[in-house]
Amino acid sequence: MNAAPRIQTTAGRLAALGFADGARAERLLDELGPEAVGDLALLDDLVGAADPDLALTTLSRLVERDPSVLGTFRADPDLRRRLLGVFGLSAALGEHVVRHPECLPSIQWTRWPALGDLREEMLLAVGADPDTAEPVAEPAADGVTAGPGTPSTSGTPGPAMEALRVAYRNRLLHLATRDVTGECTLAEVAAALADLASVALEAALAIARAEVADAGDVRLAVIGMGKCGARELNYISDVDVVFVAEPKEGVDETKALQTATRLAQGMMRACSASTPEGALWEVDANLRPEGKMGPLVRSMESHLAYYRRWAKTWEFQALLKARPVAGDLEFGQQYVAAVNELVWQAAARPKFVEDVQSMRRRVEAHVPAGEADRQIKLGPGGLRDIEFAVQLLQLVHGRSDPLLRRRATLSALAALSRGGYVGRDDAKALAEAYTFLRQVEHMLQLHRLRRTHVVPADTADLRRLGRGLGMTTDPVGEFTTTWKRHALEVRRLHEKLFYRPLLQAVARLPETEARLSTAAATARLEALGYADPEGALRHIAALTSGVSRRAAIQRTLLPVMLGWFADAPDPDAGLLGFRQVSDKLGTTPWYLRLLRDETAVAERLAHLLGTSKYVTGLLLHAPEAVAMLGSPAELAVRPAATLAAEAAAAVGRHAEDAETAVAAVRALRRRELLRTACADLSGLIDIEEVGQALSSLNDVTIQAALDTAINKVTLERRAPFPTRMAVIAMGRLGGLESSYASDADVMFVHAPLPGAAERDATGAAHAVAEETRRLLALPAPDPPLQIDAGLRPEGRQGPLVRTIASYRAYYDRWASHWEAQALLRARFCAGDAELGREFVALVEPLRYPAGGISADAVREIRKLKARMEAERLPRGADPALHTKLGRGGLSDVEWVAQLIQLRHAGAVPALRTTRTLDALRAAAGEGLLDPADEEVLAQAWLFASRIRDALMLVRGRAADSIPTTVKERVLLARALGYPPEGTEDFVEDYRRATRRARAVVERVFYED
């Protein structure tokens, strides 16, 4: 019988594959037997580990303990790959597997359990009832778990503590296998570690309950602080906690606090005591009031009294992370809610910012001199630089901006970026550095499961770190270079943000000199996460193939632009749009030169194309508009008078052809829509400025179309035009709050010239109104502007155009409350300005009635609003996510403002405005609306308006509801400035804002 095939495992070959000691590796492989030596897949997985020698050593020990492991690995290659990945990084977890090989089949490797399942598993491990977290009377019979019912009261660790450590490390091993194989992000790993610590604390508390008499007499909550509270825990870290307790009904408070103190002490001992299975980690309660000198457990009242009177600035900084993690969670949540009210007022304390800055300098001064340049936590450019900067900005600005009130560093940093407190580039650089440093920290701690933050000097250790991060060409050199680069950038940004918190970001990404080959493009696309790499490669090939100057410049541009597209919400759409625009402009001399020489233009173009189908569509019809991306000044909204003059000139050039004239005006509108959208997505203008710009642009467009229609009708009649005409803006146009998808709500009014027959004048005016609507709605490459006259008297059943005398007669006799409400937005926008002023003066008494509207009218308006809520919401729409008609949405806020105007504008001139937010601000200024309510309503209105505009920008078509599909939600959230993992934050932020607004509506509008 022939011998099994054998790999030529010479020492030199193994060393070339990545083993540091080829001879030793050859010997260990030989000892594993011919089946292992001949297993190429096993060798590949060993070589792929961060430290192949360590992985092989651990495997050899495991096989010596349990020879069946090799068979298990052959049957389950996925298990082999995961475990060898951990073995190559963590000697401590490898030791755990060697001691407990029976743990392998008991772990579900591909799924991390839900928190409830994790809690049940840990409580069962120590013999506690998962439903009550109380100890059971008898320990488990099989010896795998040990109940806390028979503990040692002498302080000697019992079997329950050992069982807790084994169960904990089994799950730690499980998480590490998912971490080292890249199946979960840093945030997911840190959150899972915090959850694992929480359930371990719960199990430890169950052990303590078995030792403490009268444990049921007290409510004890364990409050996680620091990284545990923020759900961003390390593999090995002190778990910072604070204890708060209160007696059960009928129990003396002093006795209850004594019982709670014994429970807390027992819980801490159950985690930190040394056993044959080691310890978990230290439970550190030094962040409690008065630190080590204060009582271990206090009542809630005692905590609050201390924080109100004695707490130092750093203590409020620590409370940013507070979260209930074990014990009585409901009571813990009450505690956190109470202290949060104090935390977010801390910035008002004298010298608050200076105190935080001084604390950071003291922390840095205490780093041992020999460690300072290798400390990734406390040293310059380390994690603390990022955390202190983020926390200071949170505390300073979170007082007035609830969206900044987040525990986790990356989530808070993203919120600061979205709010404009940190520049996007700065936030991105800090997030990347934080992620890198935390990954390094995790790998340092995983090796021996020891709490360390010092990068080792030993080359072998540095090699393991570099390979663990995927750096295989020159692990030591690449790791050191990357680490130093991040540290320098963190220190720069820390000094910029921490000592000058409001300084705006000015850094730009440098232009790369790398050339793009097909192989390099494939690797980049896969690494950057393009959804359709094959399609992307086709676009790249089309752009870069050939020997032309155009192709050469594209090969220079694309390596860096691929990264910018990947930073956008939809990189595939961005690359496709870039190809399409380049196809239209590629032969234009200035286009590629502009992108090559002006990095900001290329980066902004990548962001816009990868974010907005609306912008891409506009650019494809006017690609030369790329030139306006050169500077913020080019994207500034142009004055209405300038646009009106340009539109009038376009109409004059084509006076004989109405359709050509209006086509030129619509092309002007398209260009300005693009300018506004680009400025919007680039964060250069806010949502109020967007509404003002779009409304002014629509005014100019309507005026030009009206002039063209009058000229055409006049030529067709072969007689002078017999009347004056004006267009009255209504709805969002009247409020100067137009969105990208808005129709133009208007009313047409005319006044016959002296001597003109009214019937003839009305016919001519009607013809002009119809022609105006037709010209603006004609099929064309440019977006149409639909003219909607449905708010006119008698609605769609009434005449399209009326004389001003007819309007007066109608309003005097027939006007309803809803029409008076609609007229609150009436504003002259085009045509004869004097006639427009006459119309506005005519409706003033109706929309601003002296003495306000009657109680009956108020009731009728409320009934109408309630009926709209019940009937107009589209079938199947979620009321909580519909931005226009949903609870706390645009309609809710606008009706509050309009009811206040109808009731008080007759006596309060400041309320006489067509704009919603101006009306709310005036109401607050005049004491008619609580300023806090005004702020809540304004925030909800602005948020909903931003979402409606973002929906149009992202999808290229109008919508009112936050989409239900995950992909569309992610794209929308990204367009609004949320990070890739922040989609749920976005939805929750909107729900929170609208819930608060709806509560104000119920109280102010319905007086409920």
Side-chain angles (χ1 to χ4, degrees):
M1 184 174 180
N2 294 330
R6 173 185 173 89
I7 302 172
Q8 294 179 359
T9 53
T10 64
R13 175 174 170 76
L14 290 171
L17 288 173
F19 288 91
D21 188 340
R24 182 173 181 275
E26 182 179 16
R27 177 173 56 80
L28 290 177
L29 283 169
D30 284 338
E31 290 175 359
L32 289 177
E35 291 185 355
V37 172
D39 191 341
L40 289 170
L42 173 64
L43 185 61
D44 284 344
D45 288 338
L46 284 168
V47 171
D51 185 341
D53 298 86
L54 177 59
L56 179 55
T57 299
T58 305
L59 175 62
S60 176
R61 294 182 59 216
L62 179 58
V63 171
E64 182 180 353
R65 177 73 180 271
D66 182 0
S68 69
V69 165
L70 287 177
T72 301
F73 278 4
R74 281 194 299 275
D76 190 346
D78 188 48
L79 172 61
R80 179 190 64 222
R81 177 177 60 87
R82 293 166 182 270
L83 268 183
L84 292 180
V86 173
F87 289 172
L89 202 57
S90 177
L93 286 177
E95 178 66 29
H96 176 75
V97 178
V98 170
R99 285 202 315 274
H100 299 282
E102 72 278 359
C103 73
L104 298 184
S106 67
I107 298 176
Q108 187 176 359
W109 296 102
T110 57
R111 182 183 64 85
W112 183 252
L115 181 60
D117 295 335
L118 203 60
R119 177 181 179 274
E120 179 178 351
E121 176 183 310
M122 211 61 62
L123 287 171
L124 286 173
V126 300
D129 184 342
D131 294 329
T132 64
E134 297 291 335
V136 296
E138 297 292 338
D142 60 9
V144 175
T145 61
T150 56
S152 169
T153 57
S154 66
T156 302
M161 291 189 189
E162 291 187 36
L164 173 59
R165 283 146 179 73
V166 172
Y168 178 87
R169 290 208 173 87
N170 284 347
R171 279 302 175 193
L172 199 66
L173 172 67
H174 175 193
L175 180 60
T177 63
R178 303 184 76 241
D179 185 6
V180 301
T181 51
E183 294 175 29
C184 44
T185 64
L186 170 70
E188 291 168 338
V189 171
L193 286 167
D195 290 344
L196 188 55
S198 298
V199 298
L201 290 171
E202 191 69 66
L205 189 56
I207 294 174
R209 287 193 181 101
E211 302 176 1
V212 177
D214 302 324
D217 290 348
V218 64
R219 298 179 74 187
L220 174 66
V222 184
I223 308 300
M225 305 286 281
K227 285 183 164 56
C228 181
R231 294 186 80 231
E232 51 184 8
L233 198 61
N234 300 329
Y235 275 98
I236 292 294
S237 176
D238 289 353
V239 174
D240 296 306
V241 300
V242 167
F243 297 102
V244 59
E246 71 173 14
K248 295 282 184 71
E249 187 175 352
V251 179
D252 177 72
E253 181 173 314
T254 301
K255 179 184 176 184
L257 289 176
Q258 291 171 347
T259 300
T261 299
R262 291 196 297 275
L263 283 172
Q265 291 168 337
M267 187 200 80
M268 295 170 73
R269 184 171 60 253
C271 293
S272 59
S274 179
T275 75
E277 292 293 339
L280 292 183
W281 13 254
E282 290 294 323
V283 179
D284 188 343
N286 291 336
L287 291 178
R288 65 186 184 269
E290 300 180 88
K292 293 181 180 179
M293 306 304 296
L296 182 62
V297 183
R298 290 177 182 256
S299 67
M300 185 184 297
E301 291 74 14
S302 177
H303 274 278
L304 296 177
Y306 172 85
Y307 288 129
R308 290 188 180 111
R309 186 171 184 182
W310 303 110
K312 299 179 175 61
T313 296
W314 71 263
E315 293 178 280
F316 293 108
Q317 188 176 352
L319 285 170
L320 271 173
K321 311 289 189 182
R323 176 177 66 94
V325 294
D328 191 321
L329 297 181
E330 181 182 356
F331 181 48
Q333 191 58 55
Q334 294 171 10
Y335 171 87
V336 170
V339 298
N340 272 347
E341 294 183 9
L342 303 176
V343 168
W344 298 111
Q345 297 303 317
R349 294 160 59 97
K351 296 186 177 179
F352 171 81
V353 173
E354 292 85 347
D355 285 347
V356 177
Q357 293 169 344
S358 297
M359 173 60 72
R360 174 62 187 126
R361 287 191 288 268
R362 286 197 298 274
V363 169
E364 192 173 320
H366 283 83
V367 178
E371 294 183 0
D373 62 341
R374 307 192 75 80
Q375 253 278 0
I376 62 170
K377 179 181 180 181
L378 304 178
L383 291 164
R384 279 290 185 268
D385 272 358
I386 301 172
E387 291 164 351
F388 264 74
V390 169
Q391 290 165 20
L392 176 59
L393 290 169
Q394 278 185 280
L395 288 165
V396 168
H397 300 295
R399 182 183 182 191
S400 58
D401 189 347
L403 297 181
L404 301 182
R405 300 176 185 180
R406 304 177 187 277
R407 297 186 181 97
T409 301
L410 288 177
S411 178
L413 181 58
L416 287 165
S417 177
R418 290 194 298 273
Y421 306 103
V422 176
R424 291 176 179 173
D425 289 346
D426 291 350
K428 180 183 176 184
L430 287 174
E432 289 176 350
Y434 185 81
T435 300
F436 175 83
L437 293 172
R438 286 296 305 276
Q439 288 172 332
V440 173
E441 181 182 46
H442 280 184
M443 285 190 288
L444 287 171
Q445 296 177 349
L446 266 176
H447 185 49
R448 298 290 181 189
L449 286 185
R450 292 175 183 168
R451 186 171 179 265
T452 179
H453 306 93
V454 179
V455 176
D458 182 74
T459 301
D461 291 329
L462 293 174
R463 181 173 179 269
R464 184 182 65 252
L465 290 174
R467 284 174 60 89
L469 290 166
M471 302 169 180
T472 56
T473 304
D474 176 16
V476 176
E478 289 182 60
F479 168 74
T480 303
T481 300
T482 304
W483 167 37
K484 294 300 183 183
R485 172 172 58 82
H486 280 307
L488 287 172
E489 184 69 357
V490 166
R491 192 58 175 179
R492 181 184 72 82
L493 293 174
H494 170 77
E495 292 176 349
K496 171 183 174 180
L497 298 172
F498 193 64
Y499 296 103
R500 297 184 296 276
L502 299 180
L503 192 63
Q504 296 297 315
V506 295
R508 293 192 315 186
L509 288 175
E511 188 172 358
T512 182
E513 296 181 359
R515 300 287 173 165
L516 195 72
S517 67
T518 302
T522 303
R524 286 291 303 277
L525 292 169
E526 291 175 351
L528 293 172
Y530 280 74
D532 181 13
E534 292 184 1
L537 279 174
R538 288 194 295 272
H539 301 321
I540 293 170
L543 289 164
T544 60
S545 60
V547 295
S548 66
R549 180 175 178 80
R550 170 189 174 188
I553 296 177
Q554 291 283 22
R555 285 193 290 272
T556 301
L557 284 170
L558 275 172
V560 66
M561 294 198 71
L562 286 175
W564 289 332
F565 290 132
D567 292 336
D570 192 343
D572 297 86
L575 182 55
L576 171 61
F578 180 67
R579 177 186 174 181
Q580 292 170 328
V581 172
S582 296
D583 285 346
K584 288 181 175 288
L585 284 177
T587 57
T588 307
W590 57 264
Y591 168 62
L592 290 178
R593 184 171 63 246
L594 175 69
L595 298 185
R596 181 195 62 196
D597 297 338
E598 296 291 337
T599 308
V601 177
E603 185 176 5
R604 183 173 288 131
L605 178 62
H607 170 69
L608 293 169
L609 294 174
T611 301
S612 174
K613 290 183 179 178
Y614 183 79
V615 166
T616 301
L618 293 175
L619 265 177
L620 290 178
H621 291 297
E624 67 281 355
V626 169
M628 73 173 61
L629 304 180
S631 70
E634 287 291 325
L635 295 178
V637 175
R638 299 177 68 202
T642 302
L643 295 177
E646 188 174 344
V651 169
R653 286 193 300 271
H654 305 285
E656 301 300 320
D657 187 339
E659 292 186 3
T660 303
V662 172
V665 174
R666 287 175 61 180
L668 164 66
R669 179 171 179 265
R670 176 195 59 215
R671 185 193 68 203
E672 297 308 315
L673 285 173
L674 176 61
R675 191 190 309 274
T676 303
C678 292
D680 184 3
L681 289 169
S682 300
L684 301 176
I685 55 177
D686 62 28
I687 191 64
E688 287 191 83
E689 293 170 313
V690 170
Q692 173 79 54
L694 296 176
S695 300
S696 297
L697 179 58
N698 288 343
D699 287 356
V700 168
T701 305
I702 293 169
Q703 179 69 66
L706 182 71
D707 290 343
T708 302
I710 290 174
N711 183 61
K712 179 181 178 182
V713 170
T714 300
L715 291 174
E716 290 174 348
R717 286 167 51 87
R718 299 175 182 267
F721 195 63
T723 187
R724 296 181 297 146
M725 281 193 73
V727 181
I728 307 301
M730 303 288 285
R732 299 188 74 82
L733 177 61
L736 296 170
E737 298 161 353
S738 293
S739 69
Y740 296 103
S742 291
D743 292 343
D745 290 311
V746 303
M747 294 194 298
F748 293 98
V749 58
H750 78 106
L753 294 172
E758 181 173 326
R759 183 173 181 178
D760 181 54
T762 298
H766 185 274
V768 165
E770 289 285 17
E771 181 66 7
T772 300
R773 297 170 73 185
R774 185 188 75 85
L775 290 170
L776 291 176
L778 282 172
D782 306 306
L785 179 59
Q786 300 291 343
I787 301 295
D788 187 344
L791 292 176
R792 65 186 183 268
E794 301 177 85
R796 301 188 188 282
Q797 303 302 314
L800 179 62
V801 184
R802 288 176 181 261
T803 65
I804 192 165
S806 175
Y807 275 106
R808 181 178 291 108
Y810 175 87
Y811 288 138
D812 286 345
R813 185 173 183 184
W814 303 109
S816 62
H817 298 303
W818 76 262
E819 288 178 302
Q821 185 178 350
L823 287 168
L824 286 169
R825 300 235 186 152
R827 174 183 65 83
F828 166 73
C829 74
D832 188 289
E834 182 180 350
L835 179 58
R837 287 191 292 271
E838 287 181 42
F839 182 90
V840 170
L842 165 66
V843 301
E844 291 284 285
L846 185 62
R847 60 179 178 176
Y848 307 139
I853 58 175
S854 66
D856 288 341
V858 172
R859 282 192 294 272
E860 185 176 333
I861 288 172
R862 288 173 179 158
K863 287 179 182 178
L864 178 60
K865 177 69 168 69
R867 190 166 68 248
M868 286 178 59
E869 291 178 10
E871 297 174 0
R872 290 190 57 189
L873 194 70
R875 178 177 297 179
D878 184 347
L881 300 179
H882 197 281
T883 60
K884 182 177 180 181
L885 302 175
R887 294 188 291 268
L890 296 170
S891 178
D892 268 5
V893 176
E894 290 163 0
W895 281 60
V896 170
Q898 291 161 12
L899 181 58
I900 292 173
Q901 288 179 290
L902 289 170
R903 299 176 82 173
H904 301 289
V908 181
L911 289 172
R912 298 172 189 174
T913 174
T914 64
R915 309 192 69 173
T916 301
L917 295 187
D918 285 352
L920 292 174
R921 291 168 186 141
E926 297 291 335
L928 300 172
L929 183 64
D930 189 294
D933 289 343
E934 182 270 327
E935 182 178 358
V936 167
L937 292 172
Q939 286 181 351
W941 190 91
L942 290 168
F943 204 164
S945 296
R946 287 179 61 221
I947 291 172
R948 287 188 82 201
D949 274 1
L951 282 165
M952 182 65 175
L953 290 172
V954 169
R955 303 170 73 187
R957 61 182 188 278
D960 290 318
S961 283
I962 295 175
T964 57
T965 64
V966 174
K967 180 180 179 181
E968 288 194 323
R969 276 195 180 183
V970 170
L971 294 178
L972 178 61
R974 293 287 306 280
L976 290 168
Y978 286 80
E981 67 277 8
T983 303
E984 292 309 312
D985 285 346
F986 152 60
V987 175
E988 184 53 38
D989 287 346
Y990 180 71
R991 289 181 185 274
R992 184 186 305 113
T994 52
R995 277 197 305 269
R996 296 175 67 205
R998 182 62 183 189
V1000 174
V1001 173
E1002 297 283 357
R1003 179 160 33 83
V1004 175
F1005 183 82
Y1006 290 111
E1007 295 184 355
D1008 185 358

